[in-house]
Amino acid sequence: MGDFYIRQSAEGETRGPFDEDQLVSLADAGQITLDTEVADESKSQWVAVKDFPEMKAMVFPEQKKLGLKKEGKKEEDIKYINKPEDAAKPAITVEQMLAAAEGHTDDTRHLKDIQKEIGRAAGLSMPVLTAMMVLSGLANSLPRYQVLMDLFQGKLQGIIQEPFALVGLFDFLLALGLFLNIFSLFPVVRFRAMLGLGYFLFFYWSLGDPVSMAAAVAAGLGLFVCTMTLNLKVMVTFALVGVGGMGYLAWMAWTAFSNAAG
């Protein structure tokens, strides 16, 4: 496990990075609770400590009581090796550690910019992914609008011939979940991104449409990378790529729908 970042809520300030020993010290000082959210650069989502078994076991280990029994001697006769007053004082206090982590010392001021960047990237991911899934839902459902209307009326024949109408509905459901900040949907979104990339790349290749092929690649990669990174520059770059690709596919679907309706 590497360096970790913490925040008290989805809207809270991001703090870190902390190593494992520092997280334990913060928990001992009451700065970390079971509801505190944790992430590191290898993870794509914030997870509450109570939902992160390894982290929970590390910062809130079960306390085991150890007893010492010796025949013929009373408890007061037993000599203890370590006495409370002999315990070594920590080399750094919790307050000093927090000040360092928050960029208030000369050696760690540069970390403040990194923390802000990670916080902005995490805050940007949900609205960007939601927008991409809405556009993807439009791209998949508009050309199959009548099939969906028939499905809602209980007619299943059309959906058998056009199963990707269900993909459009699924995309809208993913968009709703992302709008509600359900981070556990990220693996599903990644799978959807790769599935869509493979299918639509082949589909537009079979039609001889290189522009739509490029849009499908941009949409799939943008969707995938935005669930993986906490780097703000990478997030912004692939957000623009993904929204651009999804937007083009949605615009093509809307054009086809408008022409058919007209």
Side-chain angles (χ1 to χ4, degrees), residues 132-225:
M132 282 194 276
M133 292 314 305
V134 169
L135 291 172
S136 181
L138 292 172
N140 283 291
S141 61
L142 282 176
R144 304 166 181 90
Y145 172 78
Q146 190 56 52
V147 173
L148 292 174
M149 293 299 99
D150 292 342
L151 177 65
F152 293 144
Q153 295 173 8
K155 302 175 183 179
L156 302 179
Q157 183 177 1
I159 204 68
I160 296 174
Q161 298 174 349
E162 291 280 0
F164 267 83
L166 294 177
V167 176
L169 291 178
F170 182 65
D171 289 344
F172 284 127
L173 289 176
L174 283 179
L176 177 61
L178 293 168
F179 177 77
L180 296 175
N181 288 327
I182 303 177
F183 285 93
S184 58
L185 288 175
F186 276 24
V188 181
V189 175
R190 289 188 205 114
F191 176 77
R192 167 65 185 86
M194 292 298 96
L195 179 66
L197 175 60
Y199 172 79
F200 288 111
L201 189 61
F202 175 78
F203 178 75
Y204 290 120
W205 172 80
S206 65
L207 295 178
D209 187 349
V211 177
S212 295
M213 285 175 61
V217 171
L221 290 179
L223 193 59
F224 185 87
V225 174

Side-chain angles (χ1 to χ4, degrees), residues 27-79:
D28 291 340
Q31 298 291 327
I32 293 179
T33 68
L34 291 175
D35 293 318
T36 300
E37 297 180 345
V38 183
D40 63 23
E41 292 188 355
S42 67
K43 295 221 170 10
S44 61
Q45 61 190 45
W46 291 92
V47 181
V49 172
K50 63 185 177 184
D51 298 323
F52 193 164
E54 296 84 356
M55 180 64 64
K56 181 179 177 182
M58 181 178 69
V59 299
F60 297 113
E62 293 185 5
Q63 300 295 327
K64 296 183 179 180
K65 296 182 179 180
L66 299 178
L68 179 61
K69 185 176 181 182
K70 193 171 182 180
E71 288 188 29
K73 288 198 175 184
K74 298 180 181 179
E75 185 176 354
E76 58 267 20
D77 295 331
I78 299 174
K79 294 182 179 181

